[in-house]
mmCIF file of all heavy atoms in Angstrom:
data_model
loop_
_atom_site.group_PDB
_atom_site.id
_atom_site.type_symbol
_atom_site.label_atom_id
_atom_site.label_comp_id
_atom_site.label_asym_id
_atom_site.label_seq_id
_atom_site.Cartn_x
_atom_site.Cartn_y
_atom_site.Cartn_z
ATOM 1 N N GLU A 1462 280.666 219.155 19.826
ATOM 2 C CA GLU A 1462 280.457 218.133 20.962
ATOM 3 C C GLU A 1462 280.357 216.676 20.383
ATOM 4 O O GLU A 1462 280.865 215.708 21.012
ATOM 5 C CB GLU A 1462 279.114 218.507 21.684
ATOM 6 C CG GLU A 1462 279.277 219.781 22.397
ATOM 7 C CD GLU A 1462 277.908 220.321 22.926
ATOM 8 O OE1 GLU A 1462 276.916 220.032 22.078
ATOM 9 O OE2 GLU A 1462 277.830 220.912 23.990
ATOM 10 N N ALA A 1463 279.624 216.548 19.378
ATOM 11 C CA ALA A 1463 279.579 215.163 18.679
ATOM 12 C C ALA A 1463 280.865 214.569 18.287
ATOM 13 O O ALA A 1463 281.128 213.411 18.434
ATOM 14 C CB ALA A 1463 278.524 215.272 17.567
ATOM 15 N N LEU A 1464 281.665 215.552 17.618
ATOM 16 C CA LEU A 1464 283.012 215.073 17.151
ATOM 17 C C LEU A 1464 283.840 214.666 18.330
ATOM 18 O O LEU A 1464 284.649 213.718 18.303
ATOM 19 C CB LEU A 1464 283.757 216.226 16.374
ATOM 20 C CG LEU A 1464 283.227 216.246 14.850
ATOM 21 C CD1 LEU A 1464 283.849 217.428 14.142
ATOM 22 C CD2 LEU A 1464 283.492 214.960 14.081
ATOM 23 N N ALA A 1465 283.808 215.511 19.342
ATOM 24 C CA ALA A 1465 284.726 215.272 20.491
ATOM 25 C C ALA A 1465 284.354 213.806 21.167
ATOM 26 O O ALA A 1465 285.114 213.088 21.464
ATOM 27 C CB ALA A 1465 284.498 216.334 21.693
ATOM 28 N N PHE A 1466 283.078 213.558 21.261
ATOM 29 C CA PHE A 1466 282.524 212.382 21.757
ATOM 30 C C PHE A 1466 282.978 211.216 20.787
ATOM 31 O O PHE A 1466 283.571 210.175 21.339
ATOM 32 C CB PHE A 1466 281.020 212.339 21.937
ATOM 33 C CG PHE A 1466 280.547 210.981 22.521
ATOM 34 C CD1 PHE A 1466 280.736 210.765 23.857
ATOM 35 C CD2 PHE A 1466 279.912 210.061 21.727
ATOM 36 C CE1 PHE A 1466 280.273 209.571 24.487
ATOM 37 C CE2 PHE A 1466 279.487 208.835 22.284
ATOM 38 C CZ PHE A 1466 279.562 208.615 23.629
ATOM 39 N N ALA A 1467 282.810 211.320 19.477
ATOM 40 C CA ALA A 1467 283.179 210.254 18.533
ATOM 41 C C ALA A 1467 284.692 210.039 18.722
ATOM 42 O O ALA A 1467 285.026 208.848 18.582
ATOM 43 C CB ALA A 1467 282.903 210.804 17.079
ATOM 44 N N ARG A 1468 285.451 210.941 18.949
ATOM 45 C CA ARG A 1468 286.983 210.830 19.090
ATOM 46 C C ARG A 1468 287.396 210.073 20.267
ATOM 47 O O ARG A 1468 288.455 209.599 20.332
ATOM 48 C CB ARG A 1468 287.676 212.089 18.854
ATOM 49 C CG ARG A 1468 287.498 212.545 17.452
ATOM 50 C CD ARG A 1468 288.271 213.928 17.188
ATOM 51 N NE ARG A 1468 288.256 214.282 15.927
ATOM 52 C CZ ARG A 1468 287.858 215.408 15.337
ATOM 53 N NH1 ARG A 1468 287.460 216.422 16.113
ATOM 54 N NH2 ARG A 1468 287.864 215.676 13.965
ATOM 55 N N THR A 1469 286.477 210.017 21.288
ATOM 56 C CA THR A 1469 286.808 209.417 22.567
ATOM 57 C C THR A 1469 286.853 207.951 22.368
ATOM 58 O O THR A 1469 287.584 207.116 23.186
ATOM 59 C CB THR A 1469 285.783 209.727 23.745
ATOM 60 O OG1 THR A 1469 284.630 209.183 23.490
ATOM 61 C CG2 THR A 1469 285.729 211.169 23.982
ATOM 62 N N GLY A 1470 286.070 207.318 21.424
ATOM 63 C CA GLY A 1470 285.987 205.955 21.242
ATOM 64 C C GLY A 1470 285.264 205.238 22.272
ATOM 65 O O GLY A 1470 285.222 203.942 22.455
ATOM 66 N N ARG A 1471 284.404 205.981 23.197
ATOM 67 C CA ARG A 1471 283.687 205.243 24.274
ATOM 68 C C ARG A 1471 282.533 204.503 23.724
ATOM 69 O O ARG A 1471 282.085 203.660 24.497
ATOM 70 C CB ARG A 1471 283.145 206.473 25.250
ATOM 71 C CG ARG A 1471 284.296 207.070 26.101
ATOM 72 C CD ARG A 1471 283.744 207.922 27.214
ATOM 73 N NE ARG A 1471 282.486 207.439 27.820
ATOM 74 C CZ ARG A 1471 281.507 208.257 28.035
ATOM 75 N NH1 ARG A 1471 281.607 209.489 27.751
ATOM 76 N NH2 ARG A 1471 280.469 207.820 28.599
ATOM 77 N N MET A 1472 282.020 204.905 22.616
ATOM 78 C CA MET A 1472 280.868 204.193 22.095
ATOM 79 C C MET A 1472 281.259 203.493 20.635
ATOM 80 O O MET A 1472 281.969 204.017 19.860
ATOM 81 C CB MET A 1472 279.702 205.162 21.668
ATOM 82 C CG MET A 1472 278.471 204.402 21.239
ATOM 83 S SD MET A 1472 277.096 205.459 20.821
ATOM 84 C CE MET A 1472 276.838 206.439 22.185
ATOM 85 N N ARG A 1473 281.038 202.160 20.754
ATOM 86 C CA ARG A 1473 281.396 201.363 19.500
ATOM 87 C C ARG A 1473 280.117 200.850 18.847
ATOM 88 O O ARG A 1473 279.252 200.319 19.623
ATOM 89 C CB ARG A 1473 282.354 200.269 19.949
ATOM 90 C CG ARG A 1473 283.372 199.784 18.985
ATOM 91 C CD ARG A 1473 284.187 198.706 19.641
ATOM 92 N NE ARG A 1473 283.489 197.498 20.094
ATOM 93 C CZ ARG A 1473 283.264 196.989 21.291
ATOM 94 N NH1 ARG A 1473 283.731 197.841 22.159
ATOM 95 N NH2 ARG A 1473 282.623 196.050 21.456
ATOM 96 N N PHE A 1474 279.957 200.828 17.587
ATOM 97 C CA PHE A 1474 278.866 200.432 16.876
ATOM 98 C C PHE A 1474 279.186 199.138 16.176
ATOM 99 O O PHE A 1474 280.100 199.129 15.482
ATOM 100 C CB PHE A 1474 278.394 201.445 15.815
ATOM 101 C CG PHE A 1474 277.820 202.650 16.470
ATOM 102 C CD1 PHE A 1474 278.676 203.789 16.468
ATOM 103 C CD2 PHE A 1474 276.556 202.779 16.987
ATOM 104 C CE1 PHE A 1474 278.046 204.918 17.000
ATOM 105 C CE2 PHE A 1474 275.947 203.791 17.473
ATOM 106 C CZ PHE A 1474 276.798 205.054 17.550
ATOM 107 N N GLU A 1475 278.418 198.014 16.632
ATOM 108 C CA GLU A 1475 278.521 196.792 15.921
ATOM 109 C C GLU A 1475 277.675 196.764 14.761
ATOM 110 O O GLU A 1475 277.875 195.983 13.803
ATOM 111 C CB GLU A 1475 278.125 195.609 16.870
ATOM 112 C CG GLU A 1475 279.221 195.381 18.067
ATOM 113 C CD GLU A 1475 279.035 196.347 19.210
ATOM 114 O OE1 GLU A 1475 277.937 196.842 19.420
ATOM 115 O OE2 GLU A 1475 280.083 196.611 19.820
ATOM 116 N N ARG A 1476 276.531 197.460 14.817
ATOM 117 C CA ARG A 1476 275.573 197.557 13.752
ATOM 118 C C ARG A 1476 275.041 198.996 13.610
ATOM 119 O O ARG A 1476 274.809 199.681 14.579
ATOM 120 C CB ARG A 1476 274.325 196.661 14.050
ATOM 121 C CG ARG A 1476 273.293 196.691 12.997
ATOM 122 C CD ARG A 1476 272.176 195.999 13.367
ATOM 123 N NE ARG A 1476 271.122 195.870 12.327
ATOM 124 C CZ ARG A 1476 269.851 195.534 12.426
ATOM 125 N NH1 ARG A 1476 269.419 195.107 13.646
ATOM 126 N NH2 ARG A 1476 269.023 195.471 11.436
ATOM 127 N N TYR A 1477 275.021 199.492 12.418
ATOM 128 C CA TYR A 1477 274.540 200.828 12.111
ATOM 129 C C TYR A 1477 273.973 200.752 10.723
ATOM 130 O O TYR A 1477 274.648 200.845 9.666
ATOM 131 C CB TYR A 1477 275.644 201.908 12.247
ATOM 132 C CG TYR A 1477 275.135 203.258 12.401
ATOM 133 C CD1 TYR A 1477 275.213 203.842 13.726
ATOM 134 C CD2 TYR A 1477 274.431 203.989 11.476
ATOM 135 C CE1 TYR A 1477 274.724 205.072 13.980
ATOM 136 C CE2 TYR A 1477 274.075 205.272 11.745
ATOM 137 C CZ TYR A 1477 274.218 205.794 13.012
ATOM 138 O OH TYR A 1477 273.766 207.105 13.184
ATOM 139 N N GLU A 1478 272.614 200.566 10.620
ATOM 140 C CA GLU A 1478 272.030 200.267 9.285
ATOM 141 C C GLU A 1478 270.783 201.175 9.154
ATOM 142 O O GLU A 1478 269.932 201.338 10.042
ATOM 143 C CB GLU A 1478 271.593 198.910 9.037
ATOM 144 C CG GLU A 1478 272.789 197.928 9.093
ATOM 145 C CD GLU A 1478 272.246 196.396 9.172
ATOM 146 O OE1 GLU A 1478 270.970 196.163 9.010
ATOM 147 O OE2 GLU A 1478 273.144 195.535 9.441
ATOM 148 N N THR A 1479 270.574 201.899 8.010
ATOM 149 C CA THR A 1479 269.471 202.663 7.666
ATOM 150 C C THR A 1479 268.662 201.883 6.602
ATOM 151 O O THR A 1479 269.170 201.233 5.853
ATOM 152 C CB THR A 1479 269.756 204.103 7.326
ATOM 153 O OG1 THR A 1479 270.725 204.069 6.344
ATOM 154 C CG2 THR A 1479 270.305 204.780 8.414
ATOM 155 N N SER A 1480 267.335 202.066 6.645
ATOM 156 C CA SER A 1480 266.479 201.542 5.656
ATOM 157 C C SER A 1480 265.301 202.345 5.494
ATOM 158 O O SER A 1480 265.156 203.268 6.123
ATOM 159 C CB SER A 1480 266.058 200.057 5.978
ATOM 160 O OG SER A 1480 265.406 200.011 7.227
ATOM 161 N N GLN A 1481 264.288 202.004 4.626
ATOM 162 C CA GLN A 1481 263.144 202.751 4.233
ATOM 163 C C GLN A 1481 263.386 204.184 4.035
ATOM 164 O O GLN A 1481 262.691 205.138 4.405
ATOM 165 C CB GLN A 1481 262.058 202.571 5.436
ATOM 166 C CG GLN A 1481 261.795 201.155 5.774
ATOM 167 C CD GLN A 1481 261.048 201.058 7.104
ATOM 168 O OE1 GLN A 1481 260.516 201.987 7.752
ATOM 169 N NE2 GLN A 1481 260.837 199.771 7.456
ATOM 170 N N ILE A 1482 264.464 204.406 3.182
ATOM 171 C CA ILE A 1482 264.887 205.851 2.862
ATOM 172 C C ILE A 1482 263.880 206.572 2.025
ATOM 173 O O ILE A 1482 263.519 205.980 1.018
ATOM 174 C CB ILE A 1482 266.267 205.829 2.304
ATOM 175 C CG1 ILE A 1482 267.347 205.050 3.211
ATOM 176 C CG2 ILE A 1482 266.775 207.203 1.888
ATOM 177 C CD1 ILE A 1482 267.507 205.633 4.523
ATOM 178 N N LYS A 1483 263.553 207.774 2.432
ATOM 179 C CA LYS A 1483 262.758 208.622 1.583
ATOM 180 C C LYS A 1483 263.531 209.983 1.437
ATOM 181 O O LYS A 1483 263.953 210.528 2.500
ATOM 182 C CB LYS A 1483 261.393 208.857 2.202
ATOM 183 C CG LYS A 1483 260.448 209.748 1.343
ATOM 184 C CD LYS A 1483 259.077 209.737 1.956
ATOM 185 C CE LYS A 1483 258.242 210.714 1.144
ATOM 186 N NZ LYS A 1483 256.790 210.985 1.857
ATOM 187 N N VAL A 1484 263.600 210.481 0.255
ATOM 188 C CA VAL A 1484 264.349 211.766 0.078
ATOM 189 C C VAL A 1484 263.514 212.760 -0.657
ATOM 190 O O VAL A 1484 262.753 212.501 -1.637
ATOM 191 C CB VAL A 1484 265.625 211.431 -0.928
ATOM 192 C CG1 VAL A 1484 266.310 212.766 -1.250
ATOM 193 C CG2 VAL A 1484 266.577 210.403 -0.296
ATOM 194 N N ARG A 1485 263.575 214.026 -0.034
ATOM 195 C CA ARG A 1485 262.889 215.035 -0.656
ATOM 196 C C ARG A 1485 263.762 216.210 -0.835
ATOM 197 O O ARG A 1485 264.392 216.550 0.244
ATOM 198 C CB ARG A 1485 261.619 215.500 0.086
ATOM 199 C CG ARG A 1485 260.500 214.419 0.013
ATOM 200 C CD ARG A 1485 259.558 214.598 1.252
ATOM 201 N NE ARG A 1485 260.149 214.216 2.415
ATOM 202 C CZ ARG A 1485 259.761 214.530 3.585
ATOM 203 N NH1 ARG A 1485 258.613 215.232 3.713
ATOM 204 N NH2 ARG A 1485 260.412 214.139 4.692
ATOM 205 N N THR A 1486 263.861 216.775 -1.938
ATOM 206 C CA THR A 1486 264.834 217.897 -2.229
ATOM 207 C C THR A 1486 264.124 219.174 -2.488
ATOM 208 O O THR A 1486 262.991 219.177 -3.242
ATOM 209 C CB THR A 1486 265.777 217.717 -3.335
ATOM 210 O OG1 THR A 1486 265.124 217.389 -4.590
ATOM 211 C CG2 THR A 1486 266.857 216.478 -2.913
ATOM 212 N N TYR A 1487 264.705 220.266 -2.029
ATOM 213 C CA TYR A 1487 263.933 221.590 -2.284
ATOM 214 C C TYR A 1487 265.256 222.643 -2.449
ATOM 215 O O TYR A 1487 265.696 223.176 -1.580
ATOM 216 C CB TYR A 1487 263.295 222.096 -0.956
ATOM 217 C CG TYR A 1487 262.301 221.078 -0.497
ATOM 218 C CD1 TYR A 1487 262.567 220.061 0.453
ATOM 219 C CD2 TYR A 1487 260.895 220.971 -1.001
ATOM 220 C CE1 TYR A 1487 261.623 219.280 0.853
ATOM 221 C CE2 TYR A 1487 259.984 220.116 -0.605
ATOM 222 C CZ TYR A 1487 260.449 219.170 0.316
ATOM 223 O OH TYR A 1487 259.418 218.214 0.759
ATOM 224 N N GLY A 1488 265.663 222.582 -3.746
ATOM 225 C CA GLY A 1488 266.693 223.421 -4.125
ATOM 226 C C GLY A 1488 267.991 222.942 -3.356
ATOM 227 O O GLY A 1488 268.490 221.875 -3.625
ATOM 228 N N ASP A 1489 268.582 223.888 -2.525
ATOM 229 C CA ASP A 1489 269.745 223.533 -1.867
ATOM 230 C C ASP A 1489 269.504 222.844 -0.408
ATOM 231 O O ASP A 1489 270.378 222.773 0.378
ATOM 232 C CB ASP A 1489 270.704 224.759 -1.694
ATOM 233 C CG ASP A 1489 271.400 225.153 -2.928
ATOM 234 O OD1 ASP A 1489 271.432 224.312 -3.822
ATOM 235 O OD2 ASP A 1489 271.760 226.235 -3.151
ATOM 236 N N THR A 1490 268.386 222.432 -0.252
ATOM 237 C CA THR A 1490 268.009 221.734 1.033
ATOM 238 C C THR A 1490 267.402 220.281 0.682
ATOM 239 O O THR A 1490 266.694 220.209 -0.303
ATOM 240 C CB THR A 1490 266.837 222.469 1.808
ATOM 241 O OG1 THR A 1490 267.571 223.789 2.079
ATOM 242 C CG2 THR A 1490 266.565 221.765 3.109
ATOM 243 N N ALA A 1491 267.682 219.254 1.482
ATOM 244 C CA ALA A 1491 267.164 217.942 1.273
ATOM 245 C C ALA A 1491 266.694 217.324 2.633
ATOM 246 O O ALA A 1491 267.400 217.538 3.700
ATOM 247 C CB ALA A 1491 268.215 217.049 0.599
ATOM 248 N N VAL A 1492 265.712 216.789 2.587
ATOM 249 C CA VAL A 1492 265.123 216.025 3.919
ATOM 250 C C VAL A 1492 265.191 214.568 3.487
ATOM 251 O O VAL A 1492 264.480 214.108 2.599
ATOM 252 C CB VAL A 1492 263.658 216.493 4.231
ATOM 253 C CG1 VAL A 1492 263.251 215.795 5.518
ATOM 254 C CG2 VAL A 1492 263.686 218.090 4.449
ATOM 255 N N VAL A 1493 265.963 213.883 4.404
ATOM 256 C CA VAL A 1493 266.009 212.447 4.366
ATOM 257 C C VAL A 1493 265.500 211.711 5.546
ATOM 258 O O VAL A 1493 265.862 212.118 6.679
ATOM 259 C CB VAL A 1493 267.492 211.923 4.002
ATOM 260 C CG1 VAL A 1493 267.633 210.357 3.986
ATOM 261 C CG2 VAL A 1493 268.009 212.545 2.768
ATOM 262 N N THR A 1494 264.469 210.892 5.316
ATOM 263 C CA THR A 1494 263.857 210.137 6.559
ATOM 264 C C THR A 1494 263.970 208.683 6.318
ATOM 265 O O THR A 1494 264.305 208.134 5.158
ATOM 266 C CB THR A 1494 262.352 210.464 6.643
ATOM 267 O OG1 THR A 1494 261.731 210.119 5.376
ATOM 268 C CG2 THR A 1494 262.192 212.043 6.929
#
């Protein structure tokens, strides 16, 4: 569903920025906030 929506081009992002990243890893799993 997300890919189908992305491919429509109905939503355009002028800005998309992440900050304050915190990473925790547990073997083959990671949680990023």
Side-chain angles (χ1 to χ4, degrees):
E1462 293 166 323
L1464 282 174
F1466 183 75
R1468 288 181 174 126
T1469 68
R1471 286 189 40 225
M1472 186 181 307
R1473 216 176 57 252
F1474 291 101
E1475 290 79 28
R1476 177 184 187 198
Y1477 202 105
E1478 298 172 7
T1479 52
S1480 61
Q1481 302 172 9
I1482 304 300
K1483 181 178 178 184
V1484 177
R1485 291 164 290 163
T1486 57
Y1487 309 93
D1489 286 339
T1490 302
V1492 178
V1493 177
T1494 57

